[in-house]
Amino acid sequence: PAPVAQPTAPAASTGGWVIQIGSFRDQARAQTEWAGLQRKHAGILAAATADIQRADLGDRGIWYRLRAATYATKGAAETACGSLKAAGTDCLVRKR
């Protein structure tokens, strides 16, 4: 079986908090969505890196969680998530 998580950014260079932006059935779609979100929300996500986490949800299948990483504090992640929500993109703050 494949590992549970395959982040696209090294954990050491990112903070302990992420913003989950979406969940997709395949990794390529998650990467495509990230590119679009970086264009759409350049000011909010400029310093963020993509963190795509593979999640095996049993009967529901394999999903790829698209998360924005590099947030050192929960407050920083909440501020960025709030800005994304205000701009029309739903998100959740999660501990890495």
Side-chain angles (χ1 to χ4, degrees):
V4 172
Q6 290 294 327
T8 57
S13 68
T14 61
W17 295 89
V18 297
I19 300 171
Q20 185 170 320
I21 302 169
S23 189
F24 305 94
R25 296 291 281 171
D26 62 73
Q27 189 170 4
R29 171 87 190 279
Q31 291 168 334
T32 299
E33 289 294 322
W34 175 252
L37 287 167
Q38 279 195 303
R39 282 190 301 275
K40 182 178 179 182
H41 303 297
I44 302 167
L45 298 174
T49 58
D51 181 284
I52 299 172
Q53 178 188 48
R54 182 182 184 274
D56 185 342
L57 303 180
D59 292 344
R60 293 177 51 203
I62 304 295
W63 289 81
Y64 294 87
R65 295 176 179 148
L66 175 57
R67 308 178 318 170
T70 68
Y71 300 97
T73 66
K74 183 178 183 182
E78 287 174 339
T79 297
C81 185
S83 295
L84 286 172
K85 285 181 179 181
T89 297
D90 200 19
C91 57
L92 303 166
V93 173
R94 295 282 183 244
K95 186 138 180 79
R96 187 165 201 170

